[in-house]
Amino acid sequence: MKSKYIIFALLLAVATSFVSCDEDGWLQRDPKDRITDEQLWNDPNMILGLLANYYDRMPQLAGVFNTGTNTEFDDAMWSGHVDQNWHNDINYADDYGRYWDYGYIRDINLSLENMEKFSVKLNETQKKQFNAEFRFIRAYVYFELVKRMGGVPLITTQLIYNGSGDPSSLQNPRAKESEVYDFIYNEIQDIKDNFTQTEGSRTRANKITALALQSRAMLYAGSIAKYNSQMSAPISTAGGEVGIPASMAVGYYEKSLEASKAIIANENYELYDIAGSPKGENFYKLFMDKSCKEIIFAKDFMTGKVHGFTYDNVVRSFRVDIEGSSILSPSLSLVESYDYLDGSKGTLRDKDAEGNYIAYDKIDGIFANKDARLYGTVVYPGSAFRSSPVQIQAGVATWEDGGYKLKVGDLASVYSDGQTLTGADGPRDNDQYVSNTGFYIRKYVSENPQDGVRPSLASNWYPWFRLGEIYLNAAEAAFELEKPEAKDYINKVREVHGGFPANSIQTLTNDIIRNERRVELAFEDHRYFDLKRWRIADKVWDGLDSNPVAVVHGLYPYRISRPGHPDNGKFIYERVRPTRFKKARFFRMANYYSSIDQAVINNNPKIVKNPFH
């Protein structure tokens, strides 16, 4: 036992000698396996690295090349592997769209506090720039929270447990829905002039990006204030966590319009319009051209950081990688939302007044003189992809017993007359990895063959904000404020992107505004939230099989094989309800605000549940 004490004494002596002789601070040196707060918050490159992580985490519901969620509304259906056919039988459960990421909020709050505490070597311009970017991201996150959940706790500083055994200091109640929107607006006003180092950036926030968030968020708030109050039973809670007073609508619309007008007046941004190029091609290319001045803010992709949207959705016969592809099939109701250039409604003329098929000389004849944005968004029969015609033909129509009999075959099959029976691109009912509606998505799908191959995949970017939306935001806000210039904003977008004559809309209505948003912003994560804020989602998606919007339909082209008849070789079209589409979209009143996880409520009794939950 004595020897053990001797050994311990020797070790203590050695350790003491290290401490007493540590004249060069050997024991006080910074560890080599970690970065200190002082190092991080005084190195602009390290702060940029942290910001990149936060930008990358910015949430969306159906955005950033999300194929699956985009097949859960009325603009498309799922035509991929059958094991995910539940997208066609989607149940908008109580938690659909739920978002409650306070870990993300905490990370941003911690960053703001640490930068204030440790960034002694950054100049004031750098500090303001980084502070503005962190706060912009936080404001965006709160917008994602409020548009899904209603009012949420507004936490802008770290919540630190004091160890007392009483957690009440960490339990914050939900703010009013209006207070969250007001917070977003006030944050933007406070930071919008501090983005001095990112002017003109399309991938980091700047003043125009902040104003774009104001344009969108304030429009949402104004819509909820106005249209929620017009419901037969307005959705609200006693404390205002859900529901915005109708009296606040005008103020929010004014704030939205103010921001939109400032963006539109900025000469660094313009609607994409390449002279001499077809309008439909222009609309497609605005999402592919990274020099495009219409894009305000985008999530970028590049070598080493790629996405699989082209791989997932390229037209069947154009796939290079033999597995997957052709998952998202746009709906007939979306296609028919694109009006004809003569101003008539976009309903396709497949039959005459007596119910007889209309025969067209060319397979794309039914789509002639349509809004050019249709071509830029959807691949339809007779159109081209990668400069080659697509092979969309469902089958052959033969005249038998006084009517047409529709015959189909395998993909790329040949009829007895030596011509195509069913095209290599279908459509094929109840099949997978081929369109089930007769349409493919063009928007976002790269024409570069290598972008549809693993592991290279695609690097085109995803726009969070673009000028086309801002024009439509301006139009809607101005319309709600009864300002005559509202139709001018709509007409500008229709002319530049759609190919319509100047001033094609003389009398603006809510229905026109809402349809313009559907066709201009298809697959850009607006449709679900637009219908919610207008308080019409439960009417548009009413769960009825008789509703042509709640049920995804398709349009199948057939070549007429009728030798000796004038219609021989022409094309007719058949409306179909795809077998794989199981259930009409049904949006319940409970879906206007997602439910809050019970675990959150258990941990914080101050949290009020949302209505209907």
Side-chain angles (χ1 to χ4, degrees):
M1 179 66 71
K2 184 177 181 180
S3 63
K4 290 182 180 180
Y5 285 115
I6 294 173
I7 294 171
F8 176 79
L10 289 172
L11 290 173
L12 183 62
V14 171
T16 303
S17 69
F18 272 122
V19 174
S20 61
C21 297
D22 185 31
E23 296 178 358
D24 63 353
W26 184 81
L27 290 178
Q28 280 73 46
R29 289 179 180 176
D30 292 333
K32 303 300 183 182
D33 62 346
R34 69 192 67 177
I35 298 172
T36 66
D37 284 323
E38 287 80 3
Q39 290 172 318
L40 169 60
W41 295 105
N42 288 288
D43 186 330
N45 289 326
M46 289 188 183
I47 298 174
L48 278 176
L50 186 61
L51 270 171
N53 174 268
Y54 291 174
Y55 278 125
D56 192 55
R57 291 162 62 185
M58 287 174 62
Q60 285 205 329
L61 178 63
V64 192
F65 304 121
N66 187 330
T67 294
T69 305
N70 271 304
T71 64
E72 294 173 3
F73 312 126
D74 55 3
D75 286 345
M77 65 169 285
W78 177 270
S79 292
H81 198 284
V82 292
D83 66 1
Q84 290 194 54
N85 206 65
W86 56 266
H87 292 288
N88 296 325
D89 191 21
I90 186 70
N91 174 31
Y92 298 131
D94 286 359
D95 63 350
Y96 191 84
R98 177 191 288 166
Y99 182 67
W100 196 272
D101 192 353
Y102 275 90
Y104 193 7
I105 295 291
R106 178 190 179 279
D107 289 346
I108 297 172
N109 289 341
L110 178 61
S111 295
L112 287 166
E113 293 177 18
N114 282 343
M115 189 169 65
E116 182 67 24
K117 179 178 180 180
F118 295 109
S119 296
V120 296
K121 296 181 181 179
L122 298 183
N123 60 46
E124 285 304 306
T125 299
Q126 290 173 314
K127 285 183 180 180
K128 286 183 177 181
Q129 171 70 44
F130 290 137
N131 174 276
E133 288 187 81
F134 283 121
R135 290 170 69 182
F136 165 79
I137 297 171
R138 184 175 65 182
Y140 186 92
V141 173
Y142 271 113
F143 175 55
E144 285 292 323
L145 283 163
V146 71
K147 73 180 186 179
R148 303 169 193 234
M149 313 302 298
V152 294
L154 280 171
I155 310 298
T156 58
T157 59
Q158 288 190 78
L159 298 179
I160 301 175
Y161 179 54
N162 58 19
S164 66
D166 179 10
S168 60
S169 62
L170 307 178
Q171 296 170 341
N172 287 268
R174 296 172 63 183
K176 294 179 180 180
E177 188 169 11
S178 60
E179 289 174 340
V180 180
Y181 281 108
D182 291 343
F183 169 79
I184 295 167
Y185 175 78
N186 291 331
E187 282 289 279
I188 291 169
Q189 304 319 298
D190 203 32
I191 66 176
K192 66 182 181 181
D193 293 320
N194 294 341
F195 296 96
T196 55
Q197 296 184 322
T198 51
E199 293 179 8
S201 175
R202 261 61 174 182
T203 55
R204 289 175 62 188
N206 57 31
K207 180 175 182 177
I208 301 301
T209 311
L211 290 175
L213 176 57
Q214 176 181 328
S215 169
R216 185 187 294 178
M218 296 302 101
L219 185 66
Y220 276 51
S223 303
I224 293 168
K226 178 175 181 177
Y227 292 105
N228 187 67
S229 66
Q230 294 180 3
M231 300 182 78
S232 58
I235 306 171
S236 64
T237 55
E241 297 87 357
V242 163
I244 300 176
S247 60
M248 301 181 74
V250 169
Y252 286 129
Y253 283 132
E254 289 176 339
K255 291 171 181 176
S256 175
L257 182 58
E258 175 189 35
S260 298
K261 292 172 73 172
I263 297 169
I264 291 169
N266 190 296
E267 63 183 12
N268 293 318
Y269 301 87
E270 60 186 32
L271 295 175
Y272 192 75
D273 189 22
I274 305 300
S277 179
K279 295 291 188 181
E281 287 285 347
N282 279 345
F283 190 68
Y284 166 72
K285 289 178 180 176
L286 85 82
F287 300 97
M288 313 303 294
D289 183 358
K290 292 188 179 181
S291 66
C292 171
K293 293 178 69 174
E294 176 162 338
I295 302 301
I296 294 171
F297 182 60
K299 182 169 185 175
D300 204 4
F301 292 81
M302 62 202 75
T303 302
K305 181 186 177 183
V306 293
H307 65 82
F309 195 80
T310 294
Y311 168 79
D312 286 339
N313 295 299
V314 70
V315 179
R316 168 79 181 218
S317 67
F318 290 85
R319 63 182 184 175
V320 180
D321 199 321
I322 62 172
E323 296 182 15
S325 84
S326 311
I327 290 173
L328 189 155
S329 292
S331 67
L332 177 58
S333 72
L334 173 64
V335 171
E336 292 193 313
S337 297
Y338 294 84
D339 291 340
Y340 288 94
L341 295 178
D342 63 5
S344 58
K345 298 299 293 181
T347 304
L348 295 172
R349 299 149 188 170
D350 54 309
K351 292 182 180 179
D352 61 22
E354 287 73 39
N356 300 311
Y357 289 110
I358 298 174
Y360 289 85
D361 292 338
K362 296 181 179 180
I363 195 169
D364 62 348
I366 197 171
F367 306 103
N369 299 314
K370 271 267 196 175
D371 182 334
R373 290 170 292 185
L374 173 63
Y375 181 92
T377 305
V378 174
V379 178
Y380 52 80
S383 59
F385 187 74
R386 294 178 184 162
S387 301
S388 297
V390 296
Q391 303 173 52
I392 300 177
Q393 179 182 313
V396 167
T398 61
W399 189 262
E400 299 179 23
D401 300 325
Y404 281 114
K405 183 175 181 180
L406 306 179
K407 300 178 179 180
V408 301
D410 295 331
L411 296 178
S413 56
V414 177
Y415 190 53
S416 58
D417 61 6
Q419 299 183 56
T420 299
L421 173 55
T422 297
D425 297 316
R428 286 262 301 174
D429 185 42
N430 206 24
D431 203 349
Q432 63 180 10
Y433 299 130
V434 62
S435 175
N436 279 219
T437 63
F439 308 108
Y440 292 87
I441 184 172
R442 186 189 302 273
K443 185 183 278 190
Y444 308 135
V445 178
S446 173
E447 291 194 323
N448 181 357
Q450 196 60 35
D451 288 353
V453 180
R454 299 168 296 178
S456 58
L457 298 177
S459 57
N460 52 298
W461 59 8
Y462 182 88
W464 297 89
F465 295 100
R466 63 179 179 89
L467 194 57
E469 178 206 344
I470 302 303
Y471 269 93
L472 296 183
N473 292 351
E476 184 176 345
F479 176 81
E480 297 290 1
L481 294 169
E482 300 181 351
K483 294 182 179 293
E485 67 266 28
K487 65 181 176 61
D488 298 333
Y489 295 120
I490 287 279
N491 282 331
K492 181 70 172 180
V493 175
R494 284 167 60 88
E495 180 183 357
V496 174
H497 285 167
F500 287 90
N503 302 315
S504 59
I505 297 295
Q506 292 297 314
T507 303
L508 192 59
T509 66
N510 252 333
D511 287 342
I512 292 174
I513 290 171
R514 293 170 181 182
N515 193 69
E516 281 297 311
R517 289 187 70 87
R518 186 180 189 189
V519 301
E520 173 76 18
L521 304 174
F523 306 115
E524 296 182 46
D525 203 22
H526 292 276
R527 178 68 171 165
Y528 181 78
F529 295 108
D530 278 348
L531 296 186
K532 285 209 327 174
R533 67 184 176 88
W534 294 324
R535 293 299 192 254
I536 60 173
D538 62 301
K539 300 176 180 63
V540 174
W541 300 331
D542 57 12
L544 299 178
D545 281 345
S546 58
N547 183 341
V549 179
V551 174
V552 169
H553 288 83
L555 187 74
Y556 285 14
Y558 291 85
R559 177 177 59 85
I560 297 174
S561 180
R562 192 177 180 183
H565 190 274
D567 287 344
N568 185 51
K570 294 183 179 182
F571 295 87
I572 60 174
Y573 305 84
E574 179 75 5
R575 293 171 182 263
V576 298
R577 174 175 176 167
T579 301
R580 291 187 61 181
F581 189 85
K582 299 295 185 183
K583 186 172 68 174
R585 306 301 192 205
F586 182 39
F587 185 99
R588 299 171 296 114
M589 296 299 290
N591 297 129
Y592 277 110
Y593 295 92
S594 301
S595 64
I596 299 172
D597 193 298
Q598 187 60 44
V600 171
I601 297 173
N602 292 343
N603 289 331
N604 184 0
K606 296 178 183 178
I607 295 294
V608 176
K609 286 187 176 183
N610 275 333
F612 308 106
H613 297 297

